[in-house]
Amino acid sequence: MKSRKLSIPYIIWMLVFTMIPIVMIGVTAFRDKNGGFSLEPFQKAFGYSNVFLKSLLIAFLSTLICLVLAYPLAYLLTKMRHSTQQTVQMILMIPMWMNFLLRIYAWVILLQKNGPLDTALSILGIHGSYIGNTAAVIVGMVYEYLPFMVLPIFTVMSKIDHNLIEAAQDLGSNSAAVFRKVIFPLSVSQYLGGTDDIMIGDVIDKIFWTDQNVGSAISLVLMIFIFVFLVLMNLFGDEEAIA
Amino acid sequence: MKRILSILLAAVLVSTALCLAGCQGGTTENKDKGEVNVFNWGEYMALGDDGLMNVLEEFEKETGIKVNYTTYETNEELYNMLKQSNVSYDVIVPSEYMISKLIKENMLLELNYNNIPNFQYINDRFKKLPCDPESKYTVCYQWGVTAMVYDKTKVKNTPTDWDALWDKDLSGQILMFNNSRDAMAIAMQQCGITPSTFTKEDVDKAAEKLQEQKPLLKKYVMDQVFNEMEGGQSAIAPYYAGDIEMMMEENEDLDYCLPASGSNLFYDALCIPSCSKNKENAEAFINFMQKPEIAAENCKYLRYGTPNTKAPDFLDDEIKNNELTFPSEEYLKKCYIFEDIPDDVYAYMQEKFVDIQAN
């Protein structure tokens, strides 16, 4: 009884800052400009299906590369002495304390014309700019998400107390997830991408200025995507791995 | 003993606090000229940076009116603050199309120009503007044009007009506005449409022109243009004249081009919103901003044109004779001013611009 009372502020918080906005997005997505019921926003939202697909492709490739890189690294981690483990974990974590925009700027400088990469490769006679393309966006994504892949795999492998992670997720992973899934990809594509690397987050951002209905519809479709993936994970994944 | 001491100390503290509060009440009563709440664009006023004057402090010293200064990033943010929150502002600085919208929705107060004698210094070109044809609501603050900045080491032919942004030789090195109205305006000029106002058909034509340009572009940018051009990463970009000036100071390979067919003349004006509670103080503030030496100080900081005809007397020749900050009368005749466009056309334009980027 006592513990339920303690959760009341949290429930109110969730209600005000998570549930009500989602319901509002849901309602707005089914309306036209005059406020009547309409499916037009969805019709328009699916006009951007190529952007949806491109975003999905980038997400898929980034995840795959992250997995390929993270799995052996996590395995090596479990084999290390405890002190070395902690050092490597710190090295993985420290960049995440910095503002992510700064880290993307750092990538811009690394990849741009006359940047370190260009200078190094020009010794071999290769010149050019390595920014403004889809590959650069994927590099940025992999860089950002790698710690999020390494650490959970490592914890599963080394059977650390899962209550800790669950506690962390209960506390804040909802907003963190929104940040990672929407805001972060948006800035990666803006800074590292070229003209063809617009992602679904950019479209939502732009269209929302003048047409909140279509913006809401796209957001809702995106949420359904995420929901479907969550359900799939619950169906097929074993519980340890999801935690 | 300790307890008595602490009680005594507390008593002393309380009495001093009371006295202080009382004294303060007394002084404010003496020179209480009230306050003025100014809501301006970010980095849009000389506030003591770069060795320049802090014009707000100067105003407080001269008039005794306290300034509460806050800033916004976009016209839309300003509009939403006025429309949806309870705050009271006394002076705002919207751009031309937003002024039309605010006047249409009865959100501005008529000015008493008797309280703004410095209005006489305003260039006639910036009085009776299309958004305020009878000059009842506005005093122009700053103006400028859109122009092109290019890297001399990267372009083969010196650009003369907007068509340089469609130059196939520069493919992959061209930047474009990531902002529908500015990008569409340039494309409309290329199609022979004057972009002051336009219809959905005009938007379609411009969109086609932009679609044609897209394969040649490196990127759609706004603020990133500074990094791109200053760092020598791109060859050419359209941007606002005052900002081009800043880029040229950072990289001497850069030069500017005022497009031969004319460009967009934009301006922001000082206005008083209908939520104002200190109208006379607001008028005093507006008047102060158009004192020639104050207008000059702001011009030095912003490098945008000042509409004040006496301000150039306080400027160095270098700024005064700069064609980018002060384009010639002849050039200004070729420029057009954005007017308010219907909401549905505006939404259509935005949608088309997203489509270009998405396809």
Side-chain angles (χ1 to χ4, degrees), chain A residues 33 44 47-48 50-51 105 112-113 131 190-196 198 203 206-207 209-211, chain B residues 74 76 154 173 178 214 217-220 224 227 232-233 346-347 350-351 353-355 357-359:
Chain A
K33 285 247 164 67
K44 282 191 177 167
Y48 299 109
N50 59 329
V51 186
Y105 266 127
Q112 73 185 7
K113 212 185 292 173
I131 204 163
Q190 268 173 10
Y191 287 98
L192 297 176
T195 45
D196 280 327
I198 186 171
V203 173
K206 286 221 168 65
I207 213 80
W209 281 104
T210 51
D211 196 333
Chain B
T74 63
E76 286 68 24
K154 295 191 171 61
Q173 301 192 72
N178 192 5
K214 192 184 168 191
L217 290 183
K218 181 174 180 194
K219 241 172 164 171
Y220 292 100
Q224 274 177 275
N227 274 334
Q233 299 292 318
Y346 192 85
Q350 184 73 9
E351 196 183 306
F353 191 62
V354 177
D355 286 352
Q357 301 198 350
N359 292 307

Side-chain angles (χ1 to χ4, degrees), chain A residues 182-199:
Chain A
V182 181
I183 302 171
F184 178 72
L186 196 141
S187 30
V188 174
S189 61
Q190 268 173 10
Y191 287 98
L192 297 176
T195 45
D196 280 327
D197 295 307
I198 186 171
M199 287 172 68

Side-chain angles (χ1 to χ4, degrees), chain A:
Chain A
M1 206 49 214
K2 206 179 172 189
S3 67
R4 190 175 286 179
K5 260 188 195 152
L6 280 173
S7 70
I8 285 174
Y10 174 63
I11 289 169
I12 293 174
W13 179 272
M14 282 285 286
L15 205 67
V16 174
F17 293 106
T18 311
M19 289 319 290
I20 293 177
I22 289 178
V23 171
M24 277 168 71
I25 288 175
V27 172
T28 320
F30 287 100
R31 284 173 189 266
D32 59 20
K33 285 247 164 67
N34 308 317
F37 175 81
S38 166
L39 286 176
E40 205 194 320
F42 281 95
Q43 199 190 338
K44 282 191 177 167
F46 283 110
Y48 299 109
S49 47
N50 59 329
V51 186
F52 271 112
L53 287 178
K54 174 127 193 184
S55 298
L56 265 179
L57 180 72
I58 290 177
F60 176 75
L61 286 175
S62 308
T63 314
L64 198 69
I65 296 170
C66 270
L67 191 67
V68 169
L69 291 174
Y71 205 87
L73 180 58
Y75 180 72
L76 285 174
L77 258 176
T78 58
K79 298 284 158 196
M80 286 170 188
R81 273 185 308 152
H82 188 65
S83 59
T84 330
Q85 245 173 32
Q86 280 186 324
T87 318
V88 176
Q89 272 182 307
M90 281 295 275
I91 293 170
L92 281 171
M93 294 292 292
I94 285 172
M96 296 205 285
W97 298 347
M98 249 185 292
N99 183 303
F100 77 102
L101 209 56
L102 286 179
R103 283 178 281 143
I104 293 305
Y105 266 127
W107 273 106
V108 170
I109 292 165
L110 282 175
L111 297 178
Q112 73 185 7
K113 212 185 292 173
N114 301 325
L117 183 64
D118 187 22
T119 317
L121 287 179
S122 61
I123 296 169
L124 305 173
I126 307 166
H127 293 282
S129 162
Y130 304 95
I131 204 163
N133 51 53
T134 312
V137 176
I138 293 176
V139 166
M141 294 281 189
V142 170
Y143 167 74
E144 181 65 19
Y145 289 122
L146 199 58
F148 293 103
M149 186 74 106
V150 174
L151 296 176
I153 295 178
F154 169 65
T155 28
V156 171
M157 282 178 168
S158 55
K159 303 260 187 255
I160 282 176
D161 184 359
H162 282 289
N163 293 331
L164 285 177
I165 298 164
E166 276 164 25
Q169 276 181 336
D170 288 342
L171 281 174
S173 89
N174 284 320
S175 51
V178 170
F179 177 77
R180 296 205 314 269
K181 290 189 170 104
V182 181
I183 302 171
F184 178 72
L186 196 141
S187 30
V188 174
S189 61
Q190 268 173 10
Y191 287 98
L192 297 176
T195 45
D196 280 327
D197 295 307
I198 186 171
M199 287 172 68
I200 200 67
D202 297 302
V203 173
I204 298 175
D205 176 41
K206 286 221 168 65
I207 213 80
F208 232 93
W209 281 104
T210 51
D211 196 333
Q212 302 187 348
N213 307 103
V214 176
S216 299
I218 301 174
S219 308
L220 205 63
V221 174
L222 204 59
M223 272 191 270
I224 293 167
F225 263 108
I226 294 170
F227 186 72
V228 168
F229 280 115
L230 283 177
V231 170
L232 283 178
M233 268 165 65
N234 274 323
L235 280 179
F236 299 112
D238 81 286
E239 238 165 77
E240 292 268 287
I242 296 161

Side-chain angles (χ1 to χ4, degrees), chain B residues 160-176:
Chain B
T160 55
D161 207 344
W162 293 121
D163 56 10
L165 298 172
W166 275 260
D167 185 350
K168 290 198 171 63
D169 290 343
L170 300 175
S171 177
Q173 301 192 72
I174 306 171
L175 303 173
M176 189 64 181

